[in-house]
Amino acid sequence: MVNSKKKVATKKTSPSLAIAKKKSRGNKDVVSVEAPIISSYNDRIRPLLDTVDRLRNLNVMREGIHLPTIVVVGDQSSGKSSVLESLAGISLPRGQGICTRVPLVMRLQRSSSPEPEIWLEYSDKVVPTDEEHIAEAIRAATDVIAGSGKGVSDAPLTLHVKKAGVPDLTMVDLPGITRVPVNGQPENIYEQISGMIMEYIEPQESIILNVLSATVDFTTCESIRMSRKVDKTGQRTLAVVTKAHMAPEGLLQKVTADDVSIVLGYVCVRNRIGEETYEEARMQEELLFRTHPVLRLIDEDIVGIPVLAQKLMLIQSSMIARCLPKIVSKINQKLDTAVLELNKLPMVMASTGEALMALMDIIGSAKESLLRILVQGDFSEYPDDQNMHCTARLADMLSQFSDSLQAKPKEVTEFLMDEIKILDECKCVGLPNFIPRSAFLAILSQHVDGIQDKPVEFINKIWDYIEDVLSSVIAKRSDNFPQIQSSIKRAGRNLICKIKEQSVNRVMEIVEMEKLTDYTCNPEYMTSWTQKTSAQESFIDAVVKNENIPDYFSVTGFGNVKISHLRKYHAHLLIPAFDMKMRITSYWKIVLRRIVDNLALYLQLSVKSLVNTRFQKEIVAEMVDPRDGGGVEKMLEESPLVASKREKLQNSIKLLKESKDAVAAIVDQNC
């Protein structure tokens, strides 16, 4: 056995800590009865803690701003509550199973008054108590928060202790970790407790005070496993080893080897046993680590409740000083965001005139958006939503329609048979070799009937798309007025429905016109017909005169066509049939292109008319019509959603402004 103490820490003992130790050295020395700890922050540190406590009182955490917090965790029966009792000099609930069932926020503050002040806060209640009844008061408050059974709750209970000699600390004591539920506990008790612990220790501002029993292997502790999940290097974890007197052998090796990476170090303590007073417990602790043959080898800088208190105060003050600038920055950032969001909300309107002006603003801004995306091709408002790049999507749909309309149809009858049948039905008494105009119009009408549904389908598709676009724009622009949003959308749908009906009628007229007459001034018709009819003579010869040639003949624009079925017809019928086939083929290309062009031009005209004229005029008229529910009057009634959002933002701004004021003075002092 080593005869001299082996130092395991190189940090010098602080003056205040040395004083505390000196008072307890020797069997005859007297320990102060003021409280277990006689140390406090200096004038610079105390304001820092007061500022953080002020922010905690304001509940700035609900705004997503984390505060430096000492979080106490440990496996069940690790001695966690006893450590906190020793630090505070008060009695906490004890017993079998889980003693702590809710997060217990302990705010310790040294007081110069000989009379301690102790009170609880929970659920907007303040409950004064005293040292004698504190455990009973905590149990009663816990039953109110978590129920009278053995379940847990994440709603916090705050314990204020202003007392002479206690360390200036704020800590959160969490339920001890248990894996096996006992009678009366929910089956998922482990999941509930572990989830609560992870929520508190995950923020980087949290200091993890991990309470470990000397009687167990540290590497197997569940609390160690949890803390290492969020603090892998152990930079913000401090370990307290309890029950040193029960397992002294090997304890020195445990705290010096540091197999679980505790960067902030270890502190070994002896908690109060039985009916000992706190003063007696501290005397016995000092005696244990000074005289025990094994425990006396542990460096005095890492043993005892006074050392633990000093370490916690120094670590907490350092963390507060480091985090305060970030906290100030977050407060300012969230305050600016909340003010901006509040300013975006619509003003509360008191008259129909104000409501009408707000409605005009909504429709005016929607009109501007529609002008940009439907007419000008400006997509800056919706850079990532390709569906709202309207001019591009309309061009795509028009191109698809054109390709579909002009696609070569599959021949369902044999070559020239439609033309022969039409000519045969349109024959009359007159000179031969003249194509009756009625025959050409009849074959043209057949072609038009074959495609007349496609333009109607196209125009319906176009206006369905525009209706979706219109609805999206209206929803965005009227987002702050949900009480009238459905009315404006309905007005928009009604408008599109009218335009769609008018467009369908117009398209049907365009298609119907092509059946009435055969006309074009496009010279391409004559060019194409001349090229195609140049092979007429050779085609007729192949059918009529050369019976021994193959059954197929190559015709320009048609490829190899079957001709064997035509040999039973006389040339006087084949010649006009071939001529009409070439004429209708040449003319039909022009007809199809003309339909596409007409629809494209009409579409452009209709969209511009919608945006520039009809949208604002017709929607305003419908919204102010009392027969449609009086949309303007509805704007005077602020929706519950907006009212709730406004109240929430106003509360956030009030809280953040108070928080900003709370940190302003201390920031100025430290600048």
Side-chain angles (χ1 to χ4, degrees), residues 530-550:
T530 301
Q531 290 175 348
K532 293 181 184 301
T533 54
S534 63
Q536 177 177 296
E537 185 176 350
S538 57
F539 176 80
I540 299 300
D541 288 345
V543 176
V544 177
K545 298 179 180 180
N546 300 309
E547 296 183 356
N548 295 325
I549 67 171

Side-chain angles (χ1 to χ4, degrees), residues 180-277:
V180 181
V182 298
N183 292 336
Q185 289 181 340
E187 290 298 319
N188 64 341
I189 186 70
Y190 170 76
E191 287 75 15
Q192 289 187 39
I193 294 176
S194 60
M196 189 189 308
I197 291 174
M198 295 302 289
E199 181 180 348
Y200 273 88
I201 67 175
E202 189 169 5
Q204 292 301 305
E205 295 81 3
S206 294
I207 303 158
I208 305 171
L209 182 60
N210 212 318
V211 181
L212 309 170
S213 171
T215 60
V216 301
D217 181 358
F218 295 168
T219 60
T220 65
C221 290
E222 185 68 14
S223 61
I224 288 290
R225 187 187 68 82
M226 287 186 182
S227 62
R228 292 182 72 176
K229 274 187 178 182
V230 297
D231 184 28
K232 298 185 185 301
T233 60
Q235 296 291 328
R236 51 190 182 90
T237 301
L238 172 67
V240 181
V241 183
T242 63
K243 306 180 183 180
H245 62 289
M246 297 176 62
E249 299 297 334
L251 182 56
L252 175 62
Q253 176 64 25
K254 284 183 179 181
V255 298
T256 54
D258 190 21
D259 294 331
V260 291
S261 299
I262 306 293
V263 172
L264 295 181
Y266 293 81
V267 178
C268 302
V269 300
R270 174 194 180 276
N271 290 327
R272 187 166 62 102
I273 299 175
E275 299 300 321
E276 290 177 344
T277 66

